[in-house]
Amino acid sequence: MVFLKLILAFVLLQAPGTTPARPVPPASIEGIITGPSGEPLSKVTVTASGIPDSIRSVANSLNANAGAVVPPGAAAPLLNSQQPMVATTQDGKFTFENLKPGSYLIEAERAGYVSNEYGQRGPNGMGSSVVLTAGQKLKGMQIILTPQGAIAGRVVDRNGQPLSGAVVQAIHYDYQERGRSLNVVQAVTTNDMGEYRLYWLPPGPYIVCVTPEVDPSLNPMLGPNNAQLNMVMLRVLTSMGRAAGTAVNSRTLNDGSTIEESSVPVFYPGVYTAQEAATVLVRAGSTIGGTNIVAAPAHAQRIRGITINGTTGLPESMQISLTPRNSSILTGISSSLRSADNGSFEITGVVPGSYYLIASGDISRAVLPVDIANSDLNNVALTTTVGLTINGRVTIDTPLPGGATPGVPLQIRLLSTNPALPAAAAAIETNRFQLAGVLPGDYFVNLLGNGDRYLKSVRLGGQDGLGDPIHIQDQPQTELDIVISKNTGRLEGRVLNERREPVSNATIVVIPDVPLRQRTSMYYTPRADSSGRFQIDAAPGRYQVFAWEDIERFAWFDADFMRTFEGRGRSVIISENGRESVEVTMFPYVP
């Protein structure tokens, strides 16, 4: 009886005139992972990241509208969470079974090798998507992994004696929106013979830095493939070796004179700034030996001065910090110094270089550029200024029905041309806003938040701040007048290689013409689909469209880098509510 009831229920569930949906046959991928010489690699982790083209197109459009920068090697947001993972067998082979139809990125990763995606050429390139149809069995896929390299050497003091427990960092320059900065790739410590080995380094140029004085309890925390931890550690170690108020030793020279010295980070081959450092070029699978460093203390100077409250004109105790004028965290000085009640201060252990000397009160701040040569710097007066209040007015030339505010919060941000000055930001909730604590200086105005809106006009008194920075010295007598528009234009494009074949793995960057290069919100980085097509909604203006098979992340923000490619992109003018199309030839990877 139970069996008959089950049969009856099944029949009743079938709607008249319909047939059960047929299951979609799964797809599969078979391939092999090898080294550069074709040798199979076992125990390689292979991941299939599902990104159906229909979803990717939407994600690309969202990314482009927001001005988001999708780093090379990364796909648009993985809106499909299906990410099967397998490991290669002894013969280097792998198999993915039961894959849903759609588009995938296949990535291979193993310790000691640079991770790589299928179709990726060059260390900074992107992989090609693989489109699978229902029931398809894709065979013969091959991904080649490049072995990483190493740097080895010895660290000694000025007398040739080994330094044990010193921290050695492999660092390289990264491009950022505001220029280049030094980034830690790996940090290790020297052994009892002063020897070190920085290993598992991706091929490329590096700078090697040694911090002689390290708390031994921190040494076990350092190691390869811990970039985030190493960056935190580096700040700690740098503050130990070169902090304001660090220990200073006196040394008597042969002529009887006395100098002060301080143990500070030293760059290969034995210099005290990254700008003077020699570059070490690591090649795939090779160890660059003999990278020896003499970590001698540096001739140190002192900075003496007073901190003054700019409002009262009286000396006042304040927090003091000193930082190099470049953006490197490696040569930064962590401040733990506070001026005395009478405002006097003294910073010891400062090596020659260019710095920002900063005094911070409760609501005031002073920033003074200083240059340290071969003598002390005395009688420095740091007079603080209370941050100014900038009142602003917003006009939206395409208001929403009923006067409603945009669905996604908008924010106005002032970004100083001086990296020592903090940014100021305010949310736009009505047609009025206020930016507090703005220190005197030059600022770019940016709009953050809702990607389908852009800055159409920026004015402060007689200053046009749309392309150039606005200068703020005293309390403005007028409002910062901003016009926001939603009348973007549509740009559709296609990327081809030199053989006129569509390309899906190019890094595409839409860059504004020179007068607006500082406005980073006008840079767009869409990603092409499997047919090489892309689209963005962009602020009106003149642009150049570029596509690279291999390019370092954010290199397009660097003026020196872009000078090589200036005029070689496809020029396009995007107008309000307009529609433009462009065809771009990709710059190929050159090993």
Side-chain angles (χ1 to χ4, degrees):
M1 180 63 69
V2 175
F3 177 75
L4 291 177
K5 289 182 178 180
L6 289 174
I7 293 296
L8 179 61
F10 177 78
V11 172
L12 292 175
L13 287 173
Q14 304 301 308
T18 63
T19 57
R22 295 181 179 179
V24 178
S28 64
I29 299 175
E30 294 181 11
I32 185 172
I33 310 296
T34 69
S37 301
E39 68 279 13
L41 299 177
S42 62
K43 298 181 180 179
V44 178
T45 300
V46 188
T47 305
S49 301
I51 46 171
D53 276 350
S54 58
I55 298 179
R56 180 192 289 173
S57 296
V58 176
N60 285 342
S61 179
L62 293 174
N63 279 341
N65 290 342
V69 177
V70 181
L78 297 179
L79 305 182
N80 180 351
S81 61
Q82 181 187 5
Q83 290 184 298
M85 183 181 298
V86 298
T88 57
T89 55
Q90 194 65 31
D91 57 3
K93 295 182 179 179
F94 67 92
T95 303
F96 288 107
E97 300 282 3
N98 301 316
L99 294 177
K100 297 179 180 179
S103 201
Y104 292 84
L105 287 177
I106 312 299
E107 183 178 16
E109 185 175 17
R110 176 181 156 174
Y113 290 81
V114 181
S115 61
N116 202 22
E117 293 179 352
Y118 173 70
Q120 178 180 340
R121 295 186 70 240
N124 305 292
M126 294 192 297
S128 300
S129 57
V130 177
V131 181
L132 298 176
T133 58
Q136 181 180 0
K137 298 184 183 299
L138 180 61
K139 298 182 179 182
M141 175 178 289
Q142 181 182 13
I143 300 178
I144 301 174
L145 295 187
T146 301
Q148 295 171 319
I151 301 173
R154 194 163 180 254
V155 180
V156 298
D157 63 17
R158 64 155 59 97
N159 299 315
Q161 296 301 308
L163 284 179
S164 63
V167 171
V168 185
Q169 300 103 16
I171 60 181
H172 67 84
Y173 279 104
D174 280 348
Y175 291 102
Q176 303 292 336
E177 290 186 27
R178 299 176 72 179
R180 296 197 308 168
S181 66
L182 289 167
N183 180 48
V184 184
V185 177
Q186 188 187 132
V188 297
T189 55
T190 56
N191 62 16
D192 61 324
M193 299 295 294
E195 299 165 333
Y196 73 90
R197 189 170 187 270
L198 296 153
Y199 56 99
W200 291 354
L201 299 176
Y206 292 88
I207 294 172
V208 180
C209 179
V210 175
T211 304
E213 297 179 355
V214 181
D215 183 344
S217 66
L218 300 176
N219 293 358
M221 300 177 66
L222 298 170
N225 299 335
N226 291 315
Q228 190 66 34
L229 175 61
N230 289 337
M231 290 184 70
V232 174
M233 287 298 303
L234 187 59
R235 292 187 178 95
V236 175
L237 300 174
T238 302
S239 67
M240 290 179 180
R242 198 172 172 183
T246 189
V248 176
N249 300 315
S250 296
R251 184 166 68 95
T252 302
L253 302 179
N254 294 333
D255 61 3
S257 62
T258 301
I259 64 170
E260 291 185 340
E261 294 180 328
S262 178
S263 293
V264 298
V266 180
F267 296 85
Y268 173 76
V271 295
Y272 300 110
T273 65
Q275 289 75 16
E276 300 173 286
T279 299
V280 180
L281 182 61
V282 174
R283 301 189 183 278
S286 66
T287 297
I288 309 302
T291 312
N292 304 322
I293 304 175
V294 178
H299 187 185
Q301 310 297 339
R302 296 174 180 245
I303 301 177
R304 301 180 182 92
I306 188 171
T307 52
I308 301 172
N309 186 316
T311 302
T312 65
L314 300 175
E316 184 178 299
S317 176
M318 298 182 187
Q319 191 73 26
I320 304 294
S321 61
L322 185 69
T323 183
R325 288 188 214 168
N326 61 46
S327 58
S328 166
I329 64 168
L330 282 169
T331 53
I333 293 182
S334 174
S335 172
S336 58
L337 178 67
R338 190 172 184 89
S339 59
D341 290 341
N342 64 358
S344 65
F345 66 88
E346 180 179 64
I347 303 175
T348 61
V350 182
V351 301
S354 297
Y355 301 88
Y356 287 116
L357 181 59
I358 304 171
S360 301
D362 293 335
I363 59 173
S364 61
R365 189 179 177 100
V367 178
L368 180 68
V370 296
D371 294 300
I372 305 300
N374 295 316
S375 60
D376 294 344
L377 183 62
N378 299 307
N379 302 319
V380 176
L382 285 174
T383 303
T384 61
T385 301
V386 176
L388 305 172
T389 299
I390 310 298
N391 295 308
R393 179 180 61 182
V394 174
T395 302
I396 299 179
D397 70 354
T398 50
L400 298 177
T405 58
V408 179
L410 296 175
Q411 187 183 78
I412 290 296
R413 184 168 181 253
L414 297 187
L415 185 65
S416 173
T417 58
N418 182 347
L421 295 182
I428 299 177
E429 298 175 346
T430 65
N431 65 340
R432 288 287 192 280
F433 65 90
Q434 192 174 79
L435 293 156
V438 179
L439 296 173
D442 296 325
Y443 292 86
F444 289 104
V445 183
N446 283 302
L447 178 69
L448 305 178
N450 197 331
D452 65 350
R453 293 176 183 269
Y454 63 93
L455 287 177
K456 185 175 182 179
S457 173
V458 176
R459 298 199 67 84
L460 180 63
Q463 300 184 73
D464 183 353
L466 191 61
D468 297 324
I470 56 174
H471 180 70
I472 300 174
Q473 185 60 43
D474 303 306
Q475 181 64 49
Q477 301 303 308
T478 59
E479 291 182 314
L480 179 60
D481 198 347
I482 291 173
V483 178
I484 297 175
S485 178
K486 195 179 179 181
N487 297 323
T488 57
R490 171 66 56 89
L491 175 64
E492 298 175 343
R494 187 170 67 140
V495 182
L496 305 174
N497 61 22
E498 293 176 317
R499 298 185 298 274
R500 304 289 297 171
E501 299 167 336
V503 176
S504 65
N505 61 337
T507 298
I508 307 165
V509 189
V510 183
I511 299 176
D513 268 1
V514 174
L516 296 175
R517 287 285 165 88
Q518 297 295 333
R519 188 166 298 285
T520 57
S521 60
M522 291 184 68
Y523 287 68
Y524 301 89
T525 56
R527 181 160 184 173
D529 60 19
S530 57
S531 64
R533 298 187 180 278
F534 66 91
Q535 68 177 36
I536 60 168
D537 291 329
R542 295 176 177 270
Y543 295 85
Q544 290 188 55
V545 186
F546 299 89
W548 289 275
E549 189 170 27
D550 181 89
I551 183 175
E552 287 189 57
R553 183 183 183 186
F554 296 143
W556 45 86
F557 288 124
D558 185 79
D560 291 335
F561 174 85
M562 285 306 303
R563 198 168 290 117
T564 304
F565 294 92
E566 200 65 56
R568 299 171 62 189
R570 290 298 305 274
S571 298
V572 62
I573 299 176
I574 298 177
S575 57
E576 288 190 356
N577 300 315
R579 195 181 189 96
E580 303 293 333
S581 62
V582 65
E583 194 171 83
V584 187
T585 300
M586 177 184 69
F587 294 110
Y589 168 61
V590 179

